Amino acid sequence: MNETEAVHQAAEIIRRGGIVAFPTETVYGLGADTFAPLAVARIFEVKKRPHFDPLIVHVASPDDLGRLVTDIPGHARKLMVRFWPGPLTVVLPKREEVPDIVSAGLPTVAVRMPDHAMALRFIELSESPIAAPSANPFGYLSPTTAEHVREQLGDQVDLILDGGPCHVGVESTILSFSEGKPKLLRPGGVPVEEIESVIGKVEIVRSETQSPSAPGMLPRHYAPRTPIVLAPEEAFDSYRNRNAGYLVFQEPVGGRAFDHTEVLSQKGDFREAAANLFAAIRRLDALNLEVIVAEAVPEIGLGRAIMDRLRRASCEDDKIYYDQAGS
Ligand code: TXA
Ligand code: MG
């Protein structure tokens, strides 16, 4: 089956109430017709995702928002003009017709237009906006290749569209307009500095205060099985006698000192590092190591999203969600 046929088949599955994994520029999503609650319910089942965690609705054009939201504030509109298609999700007041299972009963809905030709074609042909979380078991790292999806959810989804590796590699930035002033709920593919250059200062919500309505912000999330610790590169030596893997930002001066080292970007480029992040952690996770030691990166630009994911992957606080993810 060639790509065009695969996309047509995927859309046909959606129109008949099925679920399809599909590529976006950030990570792979697991999608259903937003207006088919039973199909959306299957996504929650397959992911073992708690029902209080709402989904992002993916559109092929800003024109599709008319079916989803009641109001688009001026600042949100400006951001869409600047960053769509792209890794920015905005949370807006929802229309009554958007099923509660999609929004987890909230009066808002999260929407974004992905920057990926195959995804856009798939949404268009489906003739409905596509509700989709990342295509991983709840709590685990998001998939950035079709192979990652196949390994974890392969036999439980109706089709996996293969669009190659995701070029952004971390999830979208989520900005909420639910209470008038814009609030950053999750750092992601669009750096907050770029958002602020368009609409001015944005409030950054800390995860502790938000957990029930936005589990992507739960302390322990995006986690591999192997424990991760965050450490400065100078501290790596102290793990020498343990069965450790290393995740470094840039090729160390003088080459690699340890076995099992993943370099996120040879030349220290944040974009490249973000695109490699989840696949690199997955490769280390597959080695059955005692611990993964990850180098902290500066929290500017995409470095903020990278550190956010590393912190959540390393956090030991939230055993409940970790256990769910492992089941
Ligand atoms: O890049 C992405 O955003 C990827 C691709 C597939 O689009 N999707 C993704 O979805 O990361 P998911 O479900 O793994 O994360 C969505 C996050 C969750 O933390 C959820 O709580 C939050 O978005 N969210 C969704 N609707 C919301 C709403 N109405 N209010 C607040 N947070 C919301
Ligand atoms: Mg997710």
Side-chain angles (χ1 to χ4, degrees):
M1 192 167 44
N2 68 30
E3 269 187 16
T4 312
E5 286 165 356
V7 174
H8 274 87
Q9 195 187 337
E12 170 81 23
I13 290 170
I14 294 292
R15 292 195 303 269
R16 290 192 184 161
I19 61 175
V20 170
F22 65 101
T24 79
E25 79 282 30
T26 58
V27 301
Y28 274 70
L30 179 57
D33 177 352
T34 301
F35 296 100
L38 287 180
V40 175
R42 224 181 112 204
I43 292 178
F44 281 86
E45 244 165 69
V46 166
K47 275 189 62 105
K48 300 191 169 59
R49 180 177 176 112
H51 281 270
F52 61 74
D53 191 359
L55 306 186
I56 293 174
V57 174
H58 298 70
V59 296
S61 148
D63 300 338
D64 300 344
L65 291 185
R67 295 179 67 190
L68 299 166
V69 308
T70 56
D71 179 43
I72 308 176
H75 278 173
R77 211 174 276 278
K78 266 189 171 170
L79 293 173
M80 289 171 194
V81 170
R82 172 75 175 74
F83 297 110
W84 279 15
L88 175 70
T89 295
V90 292
V91 175
L92 298 171
K94 81 169 188 79
R95 290 190 79 94
E96 224 171 278
E97 294 81 357
V98 176
D100 278 338
I101 190 166
V102 172
S103 65
L106 295 172
T108 54
V109 62
V111 290
R112 87 175 191 96
M113 178 181 174
D115 184 16
H116 195 290
M118 185 186 264
L120 294 174
R121 188 76 185 122
F122 161 60
I123 300 166
E124 241 168 50
L125 290 169
S126 298
E127 292 166 5
S128 189
I130 299 290
S134 50
N136 50 281
F138 183 69
Y140 196 73
L141 300 167
S142 296
T144 52
T145 66
E147 190 50 36
H148 292 163
V149 183
R150 226 170 273 130
E151 283 163 12
Q152 292 191 299
L153 303 177
D155 49 353
Q156 299 176 76
V157 305
D158 298 322
L159 185 80
I160 300 172
L161 277 176
D162 190 343
C166 303
H167 71 262
V168 173
V170 290
E171 300 84 349
S172 61
T173 302
I174 305 181
L175 204 63
S176 173
F177 286 89
S178 66
E179 290 155 36
K181 272 195 296 179
K183 284 188 183 166
L184 181 80
L185 298 185
R186 177 175 76 182
V190 175
V192 68
E193 294 91 333
E194 286 188 29
I195 290 171
E196 291 184 330
S197 76
V198 178
I199 60 166
K201 204 75 192 146
V202 160
E203 184 186 342
I204 297 177
V205 179
R206 296 188 57 83
S207 51
E208 297 82 70
T209 62
Q210 269 281 323
S211 21
S213 69
M217 307 175 65
L218 288 170
R220 173 132 196 149
H221 211 74
Y222 310 109
R225 285 178 301 270
T226 317
I228 290 197
V229 296
L230 267 165
E233 213 209 318
E234 309 84 78
F236 280 20
D237 221 20
S238 59
Y239 290 89
R240 199 177 271 283
N241 295 324
R242 300 185 44 194
N243 186 19
Y246 300 87
L247 189 69
V248 299
F249 178 46
Q250 204 169 352
E251 186 76 49
V253 185
R256 299 176 197 193
F258 304 99
D259 292 344
H260 313 314
T261 300
E262 289 282 345
V263 179
L264 290 178
S265 168
Q266 299 288 340
K267 48 184 196 303
D269 175 64
F270 277 136
R271 274 175 191 276
E272 194 184 9
N276 287 327
L277 182 68
F278 291 148
I281 297 176
R282 276 172 190 265
R283 284 192 293 272
L284 290 172
D285 201 23
L287 299 177
N288 287 314
L289 301 162
E290 192 187 325
V291 62
I292 296 170
V293 189
E295 179 186 4
V297 303
E299 288 185 69
I300 44 168
L302 282 178
R304 189 191 286 270
I306 294 173
M307 279 301 280
D308 174 78
R309 304 308 186 267
L310 286 176
R311 276 208 192 92
R312 287 176 213 286
S314 68
C315 181
E316 290 292 335
D317 289 355
D318 214 313
K319 282 293 178 201
I320 300 171
Y321 294 103
Y322 181 51
D323 290 347
Q324 274 188 2
S327 66

